[in-house]
Amino acid sequence: LLTLMSALYVGFTLYAFMIQHRDSERVAERVHEIQGLSDLILQSQDLVRPLIAHITRQDPRAALEFRQLATRGQATIRRLSANRAVTGEEGELLARITVEMDETLRFGERILARGPSQTGEQLRYLNHITGDHLHALQKKLLDWHRDELRQTEALRTAITQRRQSLLWLTGALILLASLLLVGTLWYYDRILVTPLLAIGRSTNVLASGDLQHRLAVDSRDEIGLLAANINRMAVSLDSMKERLRQAADTDALTGMLNRRAFSAIVERELANGRGCALAMLDLDHFKQINDTHGHAAGDAVLKHVATLCQQSIRNGDFCFRYGGEEFIILMPDTTLDYAQIVMERCRSAIERAT
């Protein structure tokens, strides 16, 4: 979405630049046209001055000045004709103005060709030009000039309004892009950053050894799947840790608790302030069994004795293989008299088994 908004903004900016460039060209063409019309009006007015000077004073410079003004007028007409803004009715009007300008120039040349004795006829020609052609030409040029001014002002107003609209639209696009960016950041913070930070904190707790800790699974997306997998891994590690602890605390031959477990359990029971009875057993003549029947037979005897001891004690009592043929029975919350009863029951079971 951000990429799309960026592309739209860039495209809109280019479009606005093209529109502004086109409008600037149109205004420049209009201004150029108005300037040409102004020049043409002034030049048409100036055409009279050398003619009057020729008639009244026989000024020898009048012909040269008239032809120079005529050349500039014709150049202005050609420049206006080449302007792309001069089309339609304006083109037709320019064509008529061109014809009338050419006729005016021919009349001027005829006046300049007359001698001093023909002053009356020259004045009649001049009045004819001024009254019938030059005034009509100037009127048309002035009308065209006023019309161009109105159109240019309307164009400027339209360009100003369009520019304001483009600015408002650009501001709206920037605001929309900003809101989209903020919303995207908030969305990704909610569905990605915050859950990942929570997962990081939970993995630190698991790494510290608390394998009972579990992550909250609030979604079914990739983050939720990751949290669920971490929870399954924690359960597996906790189960493995428990199995390892049991293996470390269990005698591999007899399945009884070993000396390591004995130390931990005694420390725990004493820390709880519970009174305990403790009994030690030792099998007589066990070395003779190993020497006579072999170590496999001795191992079988140890397993059987361990089974008899575990069957003779109560639930809540602990039976340990302390080492070799030595066993310890720990009886929490037990008096000495009752401990003697338990141990006598265990001894009798072993005696019957032999």
Side-chain angles (χ1 to χ4, degrees):
L1 288 176
L2 287 176
T3 303
L4 178 61
M5 288 299 300
S6 300
L8 288 175
Y9 178 73
V10 171
F12 176 75
T13 303
L14 293 175
Y15 172 75
F17 175 78
M18 292 173 60
I19 291 297
Q20 185 174 0
H21 180 69
R22 186 191 66 184
D23 292 339
S24 299
E25 288 183 344
R26 291 174 61 189
V27 171
E29 290 174 353
R30 288 290 183 180
V31 171
H32 185 69
E33 182 180 352
I34 292 173
Q35 184 63 42
L37 289 174
S38 300
D39 294 341
L40 194 59
I41 292 172
L42 294 175
Q43 291 163 4
S44 64
Q45 293 173 348
D46 291 340
L47 284 175
V48 181
R49 187 177 65 251
L51 295 179
I52 294 176
H54 174 73
I55 295 173
T56 58
R57 301 193 306 272
Q58 294 296 315
D59 190 347
R61 294 173 299 179
L64 178 61
E65 183 181 359
F66 178 81
R67 292 185 177 93
Q68 289 177 346
L69 291 173
T71 301
R72 286 200 295 269
Q74 290 172 342
T76 303
I77 291 175
R78 286 194 299 270
R79 189 169 65 249
L80 287 173
S81 299
N83 194 330
R84 291 178 298 176
V86 180
T87 58
E89 296 180 359
E90 297 171 351
E92 295 177 359
L93 177 59
L94 182 61
R96 291 197 299 271
I97 290 175
T98 302
V99 173
E100 293 178 357
M101 176 67 79
D102 292 340
E103 187 175 355
T104 301
L105 294 177
R106 287 195 300 272
F107 285 152
E109 290 292 341
R110 292 175 63 181
I111 291 175
L112 292 173
R114 303 284 180 172
S117 61
Q118 301 170 331
T119 302
E121 185 179 354
Q122 292 174 351
L123 289 176
R124 286 194 299 273
Y125 274 116
L126 181 60
N127 291 331
H128 174 72
I129 294 173
T130 304
D132 297 339
H133 294 281
L134 190 57
H135 287 173
L137 175 62
Q138 291 177 350
K139 181 177 183 303
K140 292 178 181 179
L141 290 176
L142 288 172
D143 292 341
W144 190 1
H145 188 272
R146 285 192 293 268
D147 184 63
E148 286 298 322
L149 288 176
R150 287 194 299 269
Q151 292 184 18
T152 302
E153 186 62 28
L155 179 60
R156 289 181 184 274
T157 302
I159 291 174
T160 302
Q161 294 176 350
R162 187 183 300 115
R163 187 172 299 172
Q164 291 177 351
S165 300
L166 291 176
L167 289 176
W168 278 107
L169 187 56
T170 302
L173 283 176
I174 293 175
L175 178 61
L176 180 61
S178 301
L179 292 176
L180 182 60
L181 177 60
V182 172
T184 303
L185 292 177
W186 174 82
Y187 177 73
Y188 276 105
D189 179 75
R190 182 174 177 271
I191 70 168
L192 185 62
V193 178
T194 300
L196 286 178
L197 291 176
I199 289 176
R201 290 190 294 267
S202 297
T203 52
N204 289 333
V205 173
L206 293 174
S208 66
D210 183 9
L211 298 178
Q212 299 294 326
H213 179 75
R214 298 292 180 267
L215 283 73
V217 180
D218 299 328
S219 62
R220 296 181 178 272
D221 56 7
E222 290 80 0
I223 301 298
L225 181 61
L226 176 61
N229 288 336
I230 292 176
N231 285 338
R232 284 194 292 269
M233 181 185 67
V235 171
S236 178
L237 289 175
D238 191 33
S239 176
M240 185 181 298
K241 179 182 178 181
E242 180 62 23
R243 291 195 299 270
L244 291 174
R245 185 193 64 79
Q246 291 177 359
D249 291 343
T250 302
D251 179 63
L253 178 63
T254 62
M256 302 174 70
L257 296 173
N258 57 20
R259 181 183 294 188
R260 178 181 178 279
F262 169 74
S263 300
I265 292 175
V266 168
E267 183 178 353
R268 184 189 68 196
E269 295 296 329
L270 293 178
N272 292 334
R274 302 173 65 184
C276 299
L278 186 144
M280 288 193 70
L281 290 78
D282 181 81
L283 300 182
D284 295 336
H285 310 298
F286 181 72
K287 186 176 183 301
Q288 293 180 7
I289 297 175
N290 281 335
D291 294 341
T292 303
H293 303 284
H295 288 282
D299 291 343
V301 170
L302 291 174
K303 291 180 182 180
H304 191 55
V305 170
T307 301
L308 294 174
C309 290
Q310 290 174 341
Q311 291 175 350
S312 301
I313 63 176
R314 305 164 301 171
N315 291 332
D317 294 341
F318 301 94
C319 190
F320 306 91
R321 183 187 177 193
Y322 197 68
E325 72 277 12
E326 296 177 347
F327 299 90
I328 294 179
I329 296 177
L330 180 66
M331 295 166 281
D333 296 327
T334 303
T335 62
L336 184 58
D337 292 338
Y338 191 76
Q340 289 178 346
I341 295 174
V342 173
M343 295 311 300
E344 178 60 26
R345 183 167 62 240
C346 182
R347 188 200 64 79
S348 299
I350 295 173
E351 183 180 14
R352 288 193 300 270
T354 59

